[in-house]
Amino acid sequence: MTQTVVAVGRDADFKRIVRTMREWQVSALPVLEGDGRVIGVVSEADLLPKEEWHAQDSPLRRPRTYSEELGKAAGGTAADLMTTPAVTVHPEAFVSAAARIMAEKRIKRLPVTDAAGCLRGIVSRSDVLSVFLRPDEEIAAEIRESILGPMADTLGEVRITVQEGVVTLSGDLGDSHFVPLVVRTVLSVEGVVNVHLAV
């Protein structure tokens, strides 16, 4: 995560939000209250209804979407415009969990909050993807120590190679019913792109 995070308070006005986004080149800002507790996130998507409202053929003028978007179009502060509650992640969460949340919610940035809900950092898509730059040797060492080591009594002699994040397991993986578990466990290691079996 990035620990230096730009955020706004609930009373930040529309123009200040836009200026802050442009200055820091971000597409979303956490909205904070009191001692830094995250109460929402205001994104470019939250700001667009105001411009859309001015368009002659705006869908906001249609009854079906009018009530849903009118509040955002008329909003003038972060409290009016933000999406709430904020979708956040805990500092101890795995990168894979952050990636899953971002994919499911279709968001680009994810505030990192502590147990009290206070902002501690932010995770972006580029942060999540950077895990795939992890060195092959480091990935192989983690698999040997954290997965194959504890499973030594169940597995036979297993050899492992990692090239560009692709793990190849060869040798004796033991009972064939056990193989899918080994593969899923190896896939969960940060930086693993795929797993191949050569047994």
Side-chain angles (χ1 to χ4, degrees):
M1 73 175 177
T2 302
Q3 291 182 309
T4 302
V5 186
V6 58
V8 293
R10 64 179 303 127
D11 296 325
D13 63 40
F14 190 94
K15 286 195 173 184
R16 180 180 169 200
I17 294 167
V18 174
R19 276 196 301 266
T20 304
M21 285 182 174
R22 173 172 276 192
E23 179 183 345
W24 290 88
Q25 299 181 350
V26 295
S27 59
L29 298 166
V31 181
L32 308 182
E33 184 173 67
D35 57 353
R37 190 169 52 87
V38 178
I39 58 170
V41 173
V42 62
S43 69
E44 290 173 337
D46 294 319
L47 303 179
L48 287 177
K50 187 169 291 291
E51 179 59 29
E52 192 176 6
W53 178 255
H54 297 293
Q56 190 66 27
D57 61 347
S58 171
L60 297 180
R61 299 183 188 277
R62 299 179 200 142
R64 186 175 64 83
T65 57
Y66 180 86
S67 60
E68 297 172 15
E69 299 294 332
L70 180 59
K72 298 248 182 190
T77 66
D80 301 327
L81 298 161
M82 68 184 178
T83 298
T84 187
V87 179
T88 63
V89 68
H90 192 270
E92 305 301 319
F94 288 111
V95 172
S96 56
R100 189 176 311 110
I101 293 168
M102 293 170 83
E104 288 173 356
K105 302 293 183 181
R106 297 182 179 184
I107 53 179
K108 297 177 182 177
R109 288 179 173 76
L110 194 57
V112 180
T113 58
D114 60 20
C118 293
L119 186 64
R120 292 293 172 253
I122 198 155
V123 175
S124 67
R125 287 178 177 175
S126 61
D127 293 327
V128 170
L129 292 174
S130 68
V131 73
F132 292 105
L133 299 177
R134 190 176 183 199
D136 291 338
E137 299 77 19
E138 192 176 299
I139 293 170
E142 180 176 339
I143 293 169
R144 283 189 195 96
E145 294 167 20
S146 302
I147 298 172
L148 300 181
M151 294 181 174
D153 292 341
T154 306
L155 303 175
E157 185 179 333
V158 179
R159 291 175 299 282
I160 176 175
T161 58
V162 183
Q163 185 170 5
E164 296 297 319
V166 177
V167 177
T168 301
L169 299 173
S170 58
D172 183 6
L173 291 174
D175 190 328
S176 61
H177 297 291
F178 195 64
V179 173
L181 173 63
V182 174
V183 171
R184 280 196 307 272
T185 307
V186 171
L187 277 170
S188 72
V189 172
E190 292 183 355
V192 171
V193 174
N194 207 347
V195 178
H196 293 159
L197 300 177
V199 292

